[in-house]
Amino acid sequence: DVYVVGGRITRSLADYFFTHMQVIRSGLTLIAPNANTWPHYVLNMKEGDVLVAFDVRRYEHDVLRLAETVTARGVKLILFTDQWGSPAAKLATAAGCAMAISAGSVMSFAASSMLASANASRSVSASVNSPRSRPLSCIVRTCRPVRDSLDAA
């Protein structure tokens, strides 16, 4: 199964990604925005499941805690973050980093939205011959692996 989550700011990106992926894939769950409800989702996650998380500056501590909890249970983390890198990146199997542009206290996530769209589009293209059964491997291949780059830093 695949679970999708976003923080206070990135919730709309998670919802957008979920909406597109839902068309081609079963077993997809959009995690509710209230972190108080997240333990209910964690109880249903099992080893081999995937958590797709969106986390950008001002990073959500709740997203990090969720990532720590589920990766300890054998859930794979695919992370969409910004150029500074979410603290959850150290736990990610793969991550996509996109430039976030600040205009004072408001940030533009157009690049993050494009990254999510590109990955959803690639998944749709890859699943034309077997709709609703394609694994997320097409997304993992398009994301930049983060473990090696974090170890080198």
Side-chain angles (χ1 to χ4, degrees):
D1 290 343
V2 178
Y3 297 83
V4 181
V5 69
R8 183 175 61 88
I9 300 298
T10 56
R11 172 64 185 182
S12 59
L13 293 171
D15 188 38
Y16 178 79
F17 181 80
F18 170 81
T19 300
H20 286 287
M21 293 302 294
Q22 184 181 30
V23 172
I24 62 162
R25 190 174 205 302
S26 60
L28 205 64
T29 301
L30 181 62
I31 295 178
N34 185 344
N36 292 333
T37 66
W38 293 359
H40 301 285
Y41 295 96
V42 172
L43 289 173
N44 292 323
M45 293 182 191
K46 57 194 175 305
E47 188 173 345
D49 285 350
V50 175
L51 174 65
V52 178
F54 291 80
D55 193 28
V56 296
R57 243 185 180 174
R58 313 227 182 278
Y59 305 108
E60 297 279 338
H61 185 68
D62 290 332
V63 171
L64 175 60
R65 279 194 353 215
L66 177 63
E68 289 170 340
T69 301
V70 302
T71 56
R73 296 174 60 114
V75 173
K76 294 177 180 136
L77 174 64
I78 297 175
L79 179 69
F80 289 91
T81 188
D82 54 20
Q83 68 267 30
W84 299 287
S86 164
K90 66 183 182 273
L91 304 165
T93 301
C97 298
M99 181 74 71
I101 300 167
S102 177
S105 62
V106 178
M107 296 187 82
S108 169
F109 299 108
S112 296
S113 178
M114 289 171 49
L115 183 62
S117 294
N119 282 285
S121 294
R122 182 175 171 134
S123 297
V124 169
S125 297
S127 68
V128 170
N129 294 327
S130 59
R132 301 191 65 82
S133 63
R134 194 71 175 185
L136 282 181
S137 59
C138 45
I139 294 171
V140 175
R141 281 195 305 270
T142 62
C143 292
R144 179 181 64 80
V146 295
R147 284 217 168 110
D148 294 339
S149 60
L150 287 172
D151 291 342

